[in-house]
Structures are given as C-alpha cells and as structure tokens.
Amino acid sequence: MTTVTTSTIEYPADGLTMIGHLALPAGAGRRPAVLIGPEGPGLNDFQRRRADALAELGYVALAFDLHGGHWFTDPQEMLARVMPLLADPDRMRGIGHAALDVLCAEPRTDPDRIAAVGYGTGGAIALELGRDGVDLRAIGTVNGLTTGRPGEAAHIRCPVWAGVGSEDPIMPAEQREAFAAEMQAAGVDWRLVVYGGALHAFHHPPVDQTVLPGVGYHPQHAQRAWRDIVGLLAECMPVTE
C-alpha cells in the first residue's frame, strides 16, 4: 500500500480555531490536491479516512473542519449551528477559503490542480467556492444540492458532479430540480446522479448518535458514490506522477 503521511493542522475560520486533517501521498513532487468537506455534524474519523484514501491514490488531501474541532451528536444542536451557516454564502465561502489557503500553503500541492469535494454542508461550501470564482478543476457534492445567489453560478469554471438519494427528504425532488436549473442556466458542465432508494447521508456508516428522520446508510450506493467521485477526479485532474 502507498505510504501516506498525515498531520493535524489548526487554522482560523468563522471565528473558530479549525482542526483539519492533511494527508500527503508518497514521494516528494507536487500533486493535484483535493479539499474534502464533511457533513453537518462535523469532521470525524470517517471523513479523515476519505483524505487518507485520496492520498493513497496520489492526491494531496485536506479534510477541512466546520465547527472548531467539534463533532455534533445532538441533531438539534447541529442544526442550530448549520442552518444559519447554510443561509449565509459569505460565511460558507470564508470557511472554504480558509481551508483552501491551508491546502495551497502545502508545498506538495500543485496550485493549478485543485478540486473541492464535499458532503452535505461541506458540499454546499464546495459549491460556494465555485460560485465565488475560485479556479478549481472539479467540484463534487453529495447530498449538498444547494442553490446560490442569482447569477453567481456563472462564475463556476469547472465540471460539477452531484449525487443525491432518491428518497432524501432534505434534498427532495424540487431541490434537485432547482439545482439542475441553476447549473444549466449558468452554462456549467454538470452531472446529477440520483441513487435509487437512498436517504440523506446514505454514504455515512451508522454512528453512535441520534439521527434525524430521513437519514440512513446505504452501503452499495456509498461505494458507488465514492467511485463516482474518484472517477471525477481522475477525469479532471489525473495523477500523472
């Protein structure tokens, strides 16, 4: 297995001290890099392992933080933090840019080959970076099919891949349609994959916490969504060294 080097990086964002997880691939040269945004509850070991898995494939990967090192187990506390954040594009962009600065400061990062991938809230932040005109090679969002301020999707300069469960009550059919309409009107190179029978957060294994209605794990679709994301990265910024 490829040797991966990991480290914890503290950095300021949203008035908090964020605690990100950086994973570096073997070797010494520059590599394409990926920002990985977590679900609403925050950054946990499962999302850190996503960064490690991408580093094994040859990418520099930073799993960024949302809540200053906190991981919510109470859904109401999580919603009290996340809902105002999702309603404020500038706050989301601030969190995304702070993580992007960390990733760009890593000497192994190729600054011309950076992608942003996120799940739920992290996916919304990835999209806001695109709407803010960040020069990304790809954006992937799972269960984060949010729409932005009118006209700003035209700033997105890379392919956008989106995945969602067909039975997700948090991202229902009308939300999917609004997202698709925004991307299409902006002339974005976009794709939407609907995973049949899957609920919200279908990609995340069960954890010891109270969950919201409409949330559930679907192991087959979780693997498929991961393969789709890896395929997006391979298409848009393949590892060439």
Side-chain angles (χ1 to χ4, degrees):
M1 186 174 67
T2 303
T3 302
V4 170
T5 303
T6 64
S7 59
T8 299
I9 298 184
E10 295 187 1
Y11 60 97
D14 201 40
L16 300 168
T17 299
M18 300 300 188
I19 304 174
H21 177 81
L22 179 68
L24 300 178
R30 285 186 168 183
R31 298 289 188 273
V34 186
L35 279 178
I36 308 170
E39 294 87 347
L43 185 60
N44 66 8
D45 284 343
F46 179 70
Q47 284 115 39
R48 295 182 186 98
R49 285 195 293 272
R50 287 181 183 139
D52 298 348
L54 289 178
E56 289 177 4
L57 294 174
Y59 296 97
V60 174
L62 176 68
F64 65 84
D65 189 9
L66 296 176
H67 310 309
H70 187 69
W71 191 74
F72 288 96
T73 57
D74 183 289
Q76 298 309 315
E77 290 181 3
M78 182 269 292
L79 289 174
R81 159 79 179 163
V82 166
M83 295 310 290
L85 177 62
L86 289 171
D88 191 335
D90 291 328
R91 281 183 66 198
M92 286 195 284
R93 293 176 185 188
I95 290 173
H97 276 287
L100 183 63
D101 288 346
V102 171
L103 187 61
C104 289
E106 165 53 49
R108 297 288 308 281
T109 294
D110 180 345
D112 295 324
R113 293 188 293 166
I114 296 176
V117 172
Y119 296 77
T121 303
I125 289 172
L127 285 168
E128 283 304 321
L129 286 176
R131 293 186 183 108
D132 200 33
V134 174
D135 186 15
L136 300 170
R137 288 294 185 95
I139 295 171
T141 177
V142 185
N143 295 335
L145 277 60
T146 55
T147 52
R149 289 184 290 225
E152 291 190 341
H155 299 152
I156 296 174
R157 295 184 276 171
C158 65
V160 172
W161 175 93
V164 67
S166 69
E167 307 308 302
D168 184 344
I170 300 171
M171 294 287 152
E174 53 267 28
Q175 181 67 31
R176 302 198 297 264
E177 291 166 4
F179 171 82
E182 179 193 31
M183 294 295 111
Q184 185 64 21
V188 176
D189 176 2
W190 66 279
R191 285 169 280 176
L192 173 61
V193 177
V194 180
Y195 296 96
L199 296 168
H200 193 70
F202 68 88
H203 50 273
H204 199 300
V207 291
D208 185 18
Q209 70 176 128
T210 305
V211 297
L212 293 166
V215 171
Y217 181 50
H218 194 300
Q220 283 181 308
H221 285 326
Q223 293 177 4
R224 289 165 177 159
W226 177 252
R227 288 197 296 267
D228 284 344
I229 288 169
V230 170
L232 172 74
L233 298 175
E235 174 191 331
C236 295
M237 50 177 213
V239 177
T240 55
E241 296 182 40

